[in-house]
Amino acid sequence: MPFDDDDEAVAIANDSIYGLGGGVFSNDIGRAERIASRVKTGTVWIDDLTMSESEPKITCRPAQISPNGDGVNDTAALRLRIPGKCSLTVEVLDAAGTVVSTLEKDRELQSAALELEWAALVDGKPVPAGEYTARVTFTGEREGAVKGGITVVDLPPWPEVKYEAEPFFPIGAWFEGAPSMNKGGDTPEAARKYYDTCFSDMAAHGLNAIAVPNCPEHLWETLLQAAQDHGIRVCLEVAPLVGLVSQSEPVTETDATARVKAVVDKIGKYDSLLRYQIRDEPFDQMLPNWKLVQRILAALDPKHPAFSCFCSDGALGTLASQATLSEAVFDIYPLRAGDKPPTIGGFQDLLDRFKRASAGNPMWIVLQTFECPPPSWRYPTAEALRCMTYLSLAAGVQGAFFFIHQYMPDYLHGLTDPLTGQAQPLYETVSQLAKELQTLAPLLLSAKPGAPQGHVMGTVRVGCLQTADGKPLYILAN
């Protein structure tokens, strides 16, 4: 079925009474991930529909489990498909071939498409560490057996997530971490000069934080030291952890622990580090790996939590219902090239949806301050940016980033070109907002939701909060 753009493709996919599973195929993985996050099905595969095959098959996820009761990879999900009418038996065998668990015995099915769980327990106690095999034998229209491997490891339980991060109200910008993207040098010496230029300018404009994607690993410490010298806090995207979260298969605890520890050992000592960014705009299928990396990070470095910005309120809501978040972070870019001022597009509706999805966690927002060539997004007007900022505060947001800082002629047009010093007029609006937010930040950080929350008086949005000493605090925006 043909379609003109991604929005129409998603609309076509979601206009169905069916929704158990779906698939997205594309040679652009980023585009595929964005579309998959919007498709309303129980499962979405990307470039793969293996469970629709006609051949018998079993998959075991995760392939490595540690049945210690901490809720992290305690059990294995066995997904199996045996086309046609059959009778099946599902057993788990140890390395010696001895059956340690029988999950199904001579079960009659018209068409076997099942998901079973193996808890790796015998008489309520974990089975010994080692290699195990899930075996499915079947008779009927087809006869045979399929097998899948499961590794059981003996690991200590991870503690519950408890953060020791200090309260902080980021007034920041998204910052492209690779100097080469802005025609800067890629050696530590050249990068340091570039970072100094950028960070001194940001500090002068009242910004105290940056979220940094795409910083090469050999420049992590250069960037963190430069930020520290200029009083800038950093949410740093760390590629090894992004790789873990983005894997299509469940990550093993041993692999995740080793990679997280290596990252923490390398950069956890920097005072400028605010958060580890472990994936930008993750979607639902990544959340199990996200939660594993978050849990390990919280145990090894509780002062610097995991960080991700969400573009889907559905994915954020799913995560917020399953994990303790230091903050719920989301971006809203409502202004397309065809939207003529004065408008803020669907900003308020999206803000309301993200607030609900945040489920009471502290909220940070990423606001649009860019245009993208060829014209697809446009810069907001100064009035629109002020409106979106204060609507966010009225919703209870406790931190804001402006996307994006650098003006990169061949990529994204942001607030300023660090190499030429040419700034967009909107940068002065950002600077003024930063000064206002600096004044409000201590009050907003200590405020709690009041009642009623976020109600409307005519065209005015009223945020009702309560200060630490119990006094009402009202934020009005329109």
Side-chain angles (χ1 to χ4, degrees):
M1 184 179 295
F3 55 89
D4 292 331
D5 56 27
D6 292 354
D7 290 340
E8 184 180 0
V10 171
I12 292 171
N14 290 337
D15 185 21
S16 171
I17 62 173
Y18 305 103
L20 292 178
V24 178
F25 293 82
S26 174
N27 59 6
D28 182 340
I29 187 62
R31 182 185 181 200
E33 291 173 352
R34 289 191 294 273
I35 292 175
S37 71
R38 299 169 61 192
V39 175
K40 298 177 180 179
T41 62
T43 300
V44 182
W45 290 273
I46 293 178
D47 293 340
D48 180 31
L49 288 174
T50 55
M51 290 306 288
S52 66
E53 295 175 353
S54 60
E55 292 301 312
K57 183 173 183 178
I58 182 172
T59 58
C60 306
R61 301 288 185 272
Q64 181 196 87
I65 61 174
S66 57
N68 54 24
D70 64 359
V72 179
N73 290 354
D74 284 336
T75 64
L78 313 183
R79 295 176 61 207
L80 56 100
R81 182 179 182 87
I82 313 296
K85 185 178 179 180
C86 70
S87 173
L88 62 81
T89 296
V90 183
E91 301 165 308
V92 179
L93 296 75
D94 63 17
T98 303
V99 175
V100 297
S101 299
T102 299
L103 304 180
E104 294 287 354
K105 180 68 173 178
D106 298 328
R107 181 171 176 178
E108 300 287 339
L109 292 171
Q110 292 297 319
S111 180
L114 294 178
E115 182 165 324
L116 304 172
E117 182 179 85
W118 183 50
L121 302 174
V122 175
D123 296 329
K125 296 181 180 180
V127 301
E131 299 298 325
Y132 292 81
T133 300
R135 181 179 67 189
V136 182
T137 56
F138 49 93
T139 58
E141 294 180 4
R142 306 185 69 158
E143 295 189 2
V146 289
K147 300 177 181 179
I150 306 169
T151 301
V152 176
V153 293
D154 184 12
L155 296 175
W158 293 106
E160 292 295 325
V161 173
K162 292 183 180 179
Y163 297 119
E164 299 175 8
E166 61 186 33
F168 185 74
F169 193 112
I171 308 165
W174 224 257
F175 179 82
E176 177 57 54
S180 59
M181 295 288 288
N182 206 201
K183 298 181 173 62
D186 202 35
T187 66
E189 296 75 19
R192 175 61 198 246
K193 183 177 180 181
Y194 173 79
Y195 293 147
D196 280 338
T197 299
C198 294
F199 297 163
S200 62
D201 175 68
M202 295 170 73
H205 282 79
L207 302 180
N208 63 10
I210 51 175
V212 183
N214 302 321
C215 181
E217 187 168 348
H218 74 278
L219 296 180
W220 286 357
E221 294 184 85
T222 302
L223 183 144
L224 287 166
Q225 187 59 60
Q228 194 160 302
D229 292 344
H230 292 280
I232 302 288
R233 304 294 301 278
V234 181
C235 301
L236 181 64
E237 181 183 77
V238 281
L241 305 190
V242 173
L244 286 174
V245 173
S246 303
Q247 285 186 24
S248 59
E249 299 294 326
V251 177
T252 66
E253 282 186 69
T254 50
D255 186 22
T257 301
R259 293 204 209 179
V260 170
K261 186 177 186 304
V263 168
V264 170
D265 288 346
K266 185 170 186 176
I267 62 175
K269 59 182 178 285
Y270 284 92
D271 292 337
S272 58
L273 182 64
L274 181 63
R275 300 288 186 269
Y276 298 95
Q277 187 175 175
I278 63 174
R279 167 75 199 199
D280 190 31
E281 299 183 341
F283 56 94
D284 290 42
Q285 287 72 27
M286 297 179 178
L287 298 185
N289 287 345
W290 196 100
K291 289 185 292 180
L292 174 61
V293 173
Q294 179 221 27
R295 188 81 170 263
I296 298 171
L297 267 174
L300 299 183
D301 189 2
K303 293 183 178 180
H304 303 120
F307 170 97
S308 281
C309 179
F310 285 79
C311 64
S312 162
D313 62 297
L316 175 58
T318 299
L319 181 63
S321 70
Q322 299 174 358
T324 300
L325 305 179
S326 56
E327 53 276 320
V329 189
F330 48 88
D331 56 43
I332 302 178
Y333 307 147
L335 299 177
R336 311 291 291 205
D339 299 329
K340 303 302 182 184
T343 181
I344 56 171
F347 180 85
Q348 185 62 63
D349 176 63
L350 289 167
L351 180 61
D352 290 341
R353 286 163 52 185
F354 276 114
K355 180 175 180 177
R356 288 192 295 270
S358 298
N361 288 287
M363 295 180 293
W364 292 355
I365 192 169
V366 185
L367 295 167
Q368 180 180 350
T369 57
F370 71 95
E371 68 175 7
C372 183
S376 51
W377 282 276
R378 68 164 174 84
Y379 285 115
T381 63
E383 293 78 9
L385 181 59
R386 291 189 64 83
C387 179
M388 291 187 291
T389 301
Y390 276 89
L391 285 171
S392 301
L393 298 183
V397 162
Q398 295 180 323
F401 292 85
F402 301 99
F403 186 94
I404 184 171
H405 183 257
Q406 297 104 314
Y407 186 100
M408 295 166 281
D410 300 326
Y411 178 38
L412 285 172
H413 297 173
L415 293 170
T416 185
D417 185 334
L419 299 183
T420 66
Q422 280 191 303
Q424 298 299 307
L426 198 61
Y427 200 13
E428 285 308 310
T429 303
V430 168
S431 182
Q432 180 58 43
L433 285 169
K435 294 176 182 177
E436 296 168 19
L437 292 174
Q438 287 172 3
T439 301
L440 294 170
L443 184 62
L444 295 175
L445 270 179
S446 63
K448 303 297 181 184
Q453 296 182 39
H455 66 286
V456 178
M457 297 173 58
T459 61
V460 179
R461 191 82 174 186
V462 183
C464 303
L465 306 174
Q466 190 176 70
T467 64
D469 57 1
K471 296 179 180 178
L473 173 63
Y474 298 102
I475 300 175
L476 279 66
N478 68 353

